[in-house]
Amino acid sequence: MVKNSFISVIPQEREKNCGSVEFQVFGFTDKIRRLTAHLELHKRDFLSQKGLRKILGKRQRLLDYLSKKNRIRYKKLISQLGIRESKTR
């Protein structure tokens, strides 16, 4: 049910391309939000913490790639998701 709400945010032309960077970042953000809610209840679940860190890294790498390739799509995506812009290295 939650996944469908994210899919409805994606424009119709992007819905056909499920492998796009935007679609993958939407999926990772959904997983991150669910894991964060889980970890608020279960603070000592260390395996979930490890999984959360791995997903955060994957999302960050995808966002870095998108920011290098197409800055406009990157800005639009982070504004839709309500996440902060990544720090420059």
Side-chain angles (χ1 to χ4, degrees):
M1 184 184 326
V2 175
K3 193 171 190 179
N4 290 337
S5 66
F6 277 120
I7 292 173
S8 64
V9 175
I10 301 173
Q12 292 298 327
E13 66 271 1
R14 296 276 180 220
E15 191 174 60
K16 295 176 186 173
N17 188 6
C18 294
S20 69
V21 175
E22 289 92 346
F23 191 86
Q24 292 179 45
V25 172
F26 274 113
F28 287 143
T29 303
D30 179 40
K31 285 183 183 179
I32 289 167
R33 289 183 178 151
R34 283 188 285 134
L35 274 173
T36 304
H38 170 77
L39 288 171
E40 287 176 359
L41 296 173
H42 308 281
K43 296 183 188 322
R44 295 179 56 92
D45 189 355
F46 300 115
L47 290 177
S48 293
Q49 288 178 10
K50 182 179 179 180
L52 177 63
R53 286 192 298 267
K54 289 176 86 170
I55 293 170
L56 283 168
K58 287 180 184 180
R59 183 179 76 172
Q60 188 59 48
R61 285 193 299 273
L62 280 172
L63 287 172
D64 288 342
Y65 167 79
L66 187 61
S67 70
K68 289 176 187 172
K69 292 294 181 185
N70 193 337
R71 192 72 178 171
I72 296 169
R73 283 173 49 196
Y74 170 76
K75 291 282 190 183
K76 183 178 175 184
L77 181 63
I78 61 171
S79 67
Q80 281 181 342
L81 291 176
I83 57 178
R84 293 181 297 195
E85 188 169 347
S86 64
K87 296 179 182 177
T88 56
R89 295 181 186 176

